[in-house]
Amino acid sequence: MRRIGIWIAAGGLLLATAACGGTSSGGGSSSTPKNQSLSVGFVAEPANLDFTSTEGAAIPQALLVNVYEGLVKLDQDGKIVPLLAEKWEVSPDRKTYTFALRKDVKFSSGAPFTADDVAFSLDRVKTDWKLKIKSQLDVVDKVEKKDDSTAVVQLKKPSNGFLYSMATRLGAMFSRTGVSDLANKPVGTGPYTLGSWRRGDSIQLNANPSYWGTKPSLTSITLKYFKDATAMNNALLTGGIDVISAVQAPESLQQFADPNRFQTVEGTTNGEVVLSMNNSRPPFNDKKARQAVRYAIDHKALLDTAWAGRGQLIGSMVPPTDPWYEDRTGDYPYDPAKAKQLLGGKTLSVKMRIPNLPYAVASAQVVKSQLAQVGINAEIEPLEFPARWLDVVFKQGDYDLSIINHVEPRDMGIFADKSYYFRYDNPEFGKLLASADEGTEQQQTDDLKKAAKLLSDDAAADWLFLFPNLIVAKKGVTGLPKNAIAESFDFTALAKQQ
Amino acid sequence: MTLYLIKRLAVLVASTAVAGVVVFAFMALLPGDPAEVALGVNATPEAVAALRKQFGTDRAPVAQFLDWFGGLLHGDFGTSYVTSSPIGPQISDRLGVTAVLVLGGMVVALAIAVPLGTFAAVHHRNPLGAAISAVSQVGIAIPAFLAGILLVFVFAVQAQALPSGGYVPIAENPGEWLRSLLLPWLSLGLVQGAVLTRYVRSAVLDVMREDYLRTARAKGRGSTGALWRHGLRNASIPVVTVLGLQLATLLIGAVVVERVFVIPGLGDLLLNGVAGRDLLLVQGVVMVLVAAVLLINFVVDVAYHLLDPRLR
């Protein structure tokens, strides 16, 4: 009895403080109606703000396109469109790219953006960047300034990948006078600038008053970081944030089913959830065993069980937003009898070492039970991500099966590296990739289709599903990016209806 | 008393030093290379080697330990592997937040335990007193994070009365600061309060059976008055001991509660550090936590001495 009394008393106290807090903040916002801001929940906070020397998706997600801009960017359909370059010309030998730059662009520091900055930024990739992705721009021979608003990039050989890389963080334009403290003070040409950073909590971006393009309709955006998915869901339910950038557990979506309060946006990503098989050691150095795995998995059932049916079945390492996408789900239809036949009546015992991430744990349970039905006994061993998984599976290759979401865009090339943890080794695949990069766009598309088919036929891995992009927002928030296929979470169109 | 203080201080210093060795050894055993984690899957071996050299993790463990512990002695916690900024200021910023969280939780616990425990002791023969001890028994079984989740569900999600998480510095907005801390305080305090209630009850019960209290009652004071005047100081001795132990538990509970309520305190810093293999940062935070627990024990022992004249 007394205990209940205390609960009620505590509740009364809480409600009382809540009420006075509520009115004071309500009054504040109504007196300045034009001061529009939004807060968006994310899971991973950047360790620092320098994506030239620190790995991780969180930094470009926050800063690319929003604070830093490149000459080009990816649109929602995966097409490369102009940004700081108004247009560009490619020479007939496809080795010279001439970019016509916008003339009215300034960095947030006030310095004008010119062809010198293009040369500076691309040279810096070679000299100062610390990450392996910088090798994507090894194909650049030199960058020259023709005049202030024309930059000419010479390639060593024709490369389709070059312009695409320019749409990623590699193509971000830096000011010659703005790179002294990249980890804390980003200087870019984008519609937003860094306002404040409360470490462990949030980053605030403010609208850039001197932005060259369409000025953002919001005065500020707060990126709030949550380590816990439930905490993030609660924040949206209670009005602490306006948008969940990526839903961590699709089954939690039913909390947001009320259309008078919330909206859900579902699109695609570049994230292939791969059931990787170690191609270099028994049993999966045998193509038949790998094929058996592919036949043994009922992908539709897996997606329904593990990820509430959200996502898309793909069948190879290409998302539908790439031009060379083909539906390869028919290559290995669910056929447990055929799987058993390929195994020749043998039973296998394998180690499934997975990262301790929700999608991997959920998928692994289903994979285990489906494989068991054809005689493959998989022992699940969750490893702490990233440190343990990186060390054991990725670096040492000590695993038979693993499950991880490969989020990098256009990342089919990882199968061409036989030291990569798949340990897949087929020279034919590497040749197709090389000729795709050097050939015309049409050739690129044709070759990469062949490459994706080869991967699928070889059963180099199994592709469980394409990770969905699931955004939940308050009703009235507009301009949410449906597909998450670029590295950034693009805030430029975000707005709030009055 | 002075001799006692000197002895206790010596023990405090020695245990802190031993803790330093243990913490360092555990970090060295933690699998995962900080340089590899910092650079991720796309790192070149050369970049990893260069970063290892920059971090100093390519040196012998003994050299690393001496460097780190030597730095600690003059207040230098080193530089974070991940953020490249000094660790000391990061810890002191976060320590402030955690301290407010823990002390607030303690106040809530005491506000519950002292009146309820005393009441339950005085009325231990009637059903209400028995009910209090039964309910507090249930409270003990609930972990603080679960209490937190329940509180969020009731007061934030259902009633929409309080924020479900987040922390607003007091300098920014005192009202919001209070609102952001109420639920975390309650979730730490309710559970600890349940634990303490039982201790207060049994301490007061013990005191009530003492002869001096019977004498006081015989001299015409009401039983409540007698307890108030003569009993509570004596009852507080065992309670203070438990309080010290509970403070250490609260500190650990705070690590979890910070995650539930998205509060940027030491616990949050610690968990980030572990995930990113920011070993120097983790070592620093753990040392601060260990030192805090040792210090609390020290203060409890001294307080015990002050409260109980027989020990002097």
Side-chain angles (χ1 to χ4, degrees):
Chain A
M1 271 310 283
R2 175 52 69 99
R3 177 87 169 188
I4 294 168
I6 286 178
W7 274 80
I8 292 167
L13 172 75
L14 290 172
L15 289 170
T17 41
C20 60
T23 43
S24 69
S25 65
S29 60
S30 65
S31 64
T32 50
K34 293 216 163 138
N35 215 356
Q36 287 245 24
S37 59
L38 270 183
S39 54
V40 184
F42 288 89
V43 269
E45 182 182 7
N48 63 60
L49 301 180
D50 180 7
F51 56 66
T52 74
S53 65
T54 311
E55 183 57 56
I59 317 173
Q61 187 175 50
L63 299 186
L64 199 64
V65 178
N66 302 317
V67 173
Y68 291 110
E69 292 181 308
L71 301 184
V72 293
K73 77 168 188 175
L74 277 191
D75 74 2
Q76 278 286 294
D77 302 318
K79 277 216 314 279
I80 298 170
V81 294
L83 191 56
L84 290 178
E86 279 179 318
K87 55 186 187 337
W88 59 91
E89 274 168 19
V90 187
S91 66
D93 68 355
R94 300 180 41 251
K95 282 164 59 175
T96 309
Y97 284 70
T98 307
F99 292 96
L101 310 178
R102 295 193 164 273
K103 295 191 181 73
D104 45 355
V105 177
K106 278 195 171 74
F107 285 100
S108 58
S109 61
F113 165 72
T114 68
D116 287 317
D117 299 301
V118 179
F120 170 75
S121 300
L122 291 184
D123 287 343
R124 254 194 116 251
V125 173
K126 283 188 185 170
T127 54
D128 289 279
W129 284 52
K130 295 211 175 75
L131 311 176
K132 199 176 177 183
I133 45 162
K134 74 180 198 171
S135 65
Q136 288 176 20
L137 287 190
D138 283 353
V139 71
V140 173
D141 186 27
K142 57 181 191 260
V143 188
E144 287 167 329
K145 162 186 171 177
K146 199 162 146 199
D147 56 59
D148 268 356
S149 57
T150 314
V152 181
V153 179
Q154 293 283 351
L155 303 186
K156 291 171 190 159
K157 57 177 188 181
S159 165
N160 288 307
F162 163 69
L163 199 60
Y164 185 83
S165 296
M166 290 295 285
T168 68
R169 68 183 100 170
L170 289 167
M173 289 296 136
F174 293 88
S175 162
R176 283 162 291 162
T177 55
V179 293
S180 55
D181 188 8
L182 288 177
N184 297 297
K185 294 196 180 67
V187 177
T189 59
Y192 289 95
T193 59
L194 180 72
S196 59
W197 183 6
R198 220 194 268 158
R199 283 176 197 269
D201 184 75
S202 57
I203 290 178
Q204 188 180 328
L205 300 180
N206 294 330
N208 175 2
S210 56
Y211 184 55
W212 59 270
T214 315
K215 295 201 171 51
S217 71
L218 300 168
T219 45
S220 74
I221 290 181
T222 306
L223 295 83
K224 269 198 78 78
Y225 295 101
F226 297 85
K227 269 112 216 162
D228 184 72
T230 315
M232 179 145 72
N233 289 345
N234 285 337
L236 182 61
L237 287 171
T238 58
I241 54 173
D242 301 286
V243 180
I244 291 177
S245 65
V247 173
Q248 297 304 300
E251 63 273 14
S252 70
L253 277 174
Q254 34 180 290
Q255 296 177 83
F256 307 108
D258 180 1
N260 294 319
R261 290 183 65 199
F262 302 109
Q263 53 172 327
T264 305
V265 174
E266 181 169 357
T268 67
T269 67
N270 284 320
E272 303 95 354
V273 179
V274 179
L275 172 64
S276 36
M277 299 182 242
N278 191 337
N279 281 246
S280 70
R281 74 180 195 191
F284 296 122
N285 58 350
D286 178 2
K287 183 171 164 181
K288 278 188 185 161
R290 300 198 300 268
Q291 288 178 317
V293 169
R294 296 206 63 185
Y295 279 120
I297 291 172
D298 180 352
H299 295 85
K300 175 77 176 61
L302 179 134
L303 184 61
D304 287 344
T305 315
W307 220 235
R310 309 279 182 158
Q312 191 176 342
L313 305 182
I314 43 177
S316 190
M317 197 67 184
V318 184
T321 37
D322 282 348
W324 41 89
Y325 168 75
E326 283 182 312
D327 182 358
R328 302 229 67 90
T329 53
D331 292 358
Y332 291 87
Y334 177 53
D335 191 345
K338 195 145 187 183
K340 276 188 196 158
Q341 184 195 331
L342 280 163
L343 291 171
K346 275 184 298 186
T347 56
L348 303 175
S349 288
V350 294
K351 276 205 180 87
M352 179 150 50
R353 294 193 149 142
I354 56 163
N356 60 343
L357 301 171
Y359 66 86
V361 174
S363 302
Q365 310 286 352
V366 185
V367 168
K368 180 189 160 93
S369 81
Q370 294 189 346
L371 290 184
Q373 292 177 14
V374 302
I376 302 175
N377 298 314
E379 184 197 334
I380 300 176
E381 188 184 336
L383 301 175
E384 182 217 359
F385 188 84
R388 286 271 290 148
W389 185 87
L390 269 185
D391 184 38
V392 175
V393 175
F394 190 81
K395 203 175 123 203
Q396 300 173 31
D398 183 10
Y399 77 106
D400 299 314
L401 293 172
S402 187
I403 295 173
I404 198 143
N405 182 7
H406 283 268
V407 294
E408 289 77 18
R410 305 198 171 177
D411 52 359
M412 194 166 37
I414 54 181
F415 283 93
D417 177 358
K418 63 183 179 193
S419 69
Y420 210 77
Y421 80 108
F422 305 118
R423 305 280 200 262
Y424 172 65
D425 186 8
N426 186 341
E428 183 61 25
F429 181 79
K431 277 186 210 148
L432 280 171
L433 250 61
S435 75
D437 195 36
E438 288 186 32
T440 62
E441 273 184 47
Q442 187 54 47
Q443 244 170 307
Q444 180 191 28
T445 303
D446 294 344
D447 283 339
L448 291 180
K449 276 182 183 169
K450 280 183 210 158
K453 181 171 188 307
L454 183 61
L455 278 189
S456 172
D457 289 345
D458 271 351
D462 186 56
W463 291 270
L464 297 178
F465 58 95
L466 186 83
F467 209 74
N469 184 42
L470 285 172
I471 299 177
V472 185
K474 279 188 191 158
K475 197 187 162 194
V477 176
T478 58
L480 294 163
K482 183 168 184 273
N483 295 331
I485 50 174
E487 290 177 299
S488 68
F489 192 98
D490 191 334
F491 291 133
T492 51
L494 216 56
K496 196 152 96 176
Q497 277 170 3
Q498 289 288 13
Chain B
M1 186 67 195
T2 324
L3 185 68
Y4 174 78
L5 263 183
I6 292 171
K7 265 199 212 153
R8 284 294 302 141
L9 266 175
V11 172
L12 178 67
V13 171
S15 7
T16 312
V18 171
V21 178
V22 173
V23 168
F24 185 87
F26 270 110
M27 289 305 126
L29 291 175
L30 201 63
D33 179 346
E36 273 176 9
V37 174
L39 289 172
V41 296
N42 287 316
T44 57
E46 301 82 58
V48 173
L51 199 59
R52 236 176 245 150
K53 201 169 161 67
Q54 188 194 320
F55 288 167
T57 47
D58 57 341
R59 296 171 304 155
V62 176
Q64 290 184 51
F65 174 77
L66 290 178
D67 224 34
W68 172 65
F69 205 75
L72 281 191
L73 291 182
H74 36 295
D76 176 13
F77 284 80
T79 305
S80 157
Y81 294 158
V82 175
T83 62
S84 317
S85 50
I87 290 168
Q90 291 187 57
I91 292 184
S92 58
D93 281 359
R94 303 295 190 98
L95 185 63
V97 178
T98 301
V100 167
L101 184 59
V102 168
L103 291 179
M106 199 44 130
V107 169
V108 173
L110 283 173
I112 292 170
V114 172
L116 275 193
T118 313
F119 181 90
V122 173
H123 300 279
H124 67 279
R125 285 208 179 79
N126 78 23
L128 198 54
I132 289 174
S133 28
V135 172
S136 67
Q137 187 72 45
V138 175
I140 292 169
I142 300 175
F145 75 89
L146 191 62
I149 291 170
L150 289 174
L151 285 169
V152 167
F153 183 73
V154 174
F155 291 109
V157 177
Q158 295 296 319
Q160 303 265 327
L162 284 169
S164 62
Y167 176 76
V168 181
I170 189 167
E172 210 168 277
N173 184 337
E176 284 297 312
W177 171 81
L178 188 63
R179 271 163 52 82
S180 69
L181 281 171
L182 274 177
L183 288 183
W185 279 341
L186 275 182
S187 54
L188 279 175
L190 282 178
V191 176
Q192 292 305 319
V195 178
L196 273 182
T197 300
R198 296 187 60 80
Y199 282 105
V200 171
R201 177 180 173 273
S202 76
V204 172
L205 263 183
D206 286 349
V207 168
M208 278 165 56
R209 291 181 188 128
E210 296 283 346
D211 292 342
Y212 60 81
L213 220 65
R214 199 172 51 214
T215 313
R217 277 202 299 272
K219 278 160 72 182
R221 278 193 181 273
S223 60
T224 312
L227 190 66
W228 196 248
R229 189 167 165 90
H230 303 283
L232 285 186
R233 180 186 163 116
N234 288 305
S236 68
I237 295 169
V239 173
V240 162
T241 316
V242 176
L243 207 63
L245 292 172
Q246 290 304 313
L247 212 52
T249 321
L250 269 178
L251 208 52
I252 309 305
V255 171
V256 184
V257 166
E258 280 170 17
R259 181 146 283 214
V260 173
F261 288 100
V262 203
I263 293 172
L266 271 190
D268 177 70
L269 193 65
L270 180 69
L271 294 175
N272 282 354
V274 173
R277 288 298 183 271
D278 199 347
L279 296 188
L280 276 186
L281 178 78
V282 176
Q283 279 166 216
V285 176
V286 174
M287 270 315 282
V288 167
L289 289 175
V290 168
V293 171
L294 291 173
L295 199 67
I296 290 166
N297 282 336
F298 172 75
V299 172
V300 169
D301 282 355
V302 174
Y304 200 77
H305 258 248
L306 291 177
L307 281 169
D308 193 344
R310 283 168 301 182
L311 292 174
R312 273 178 232 158

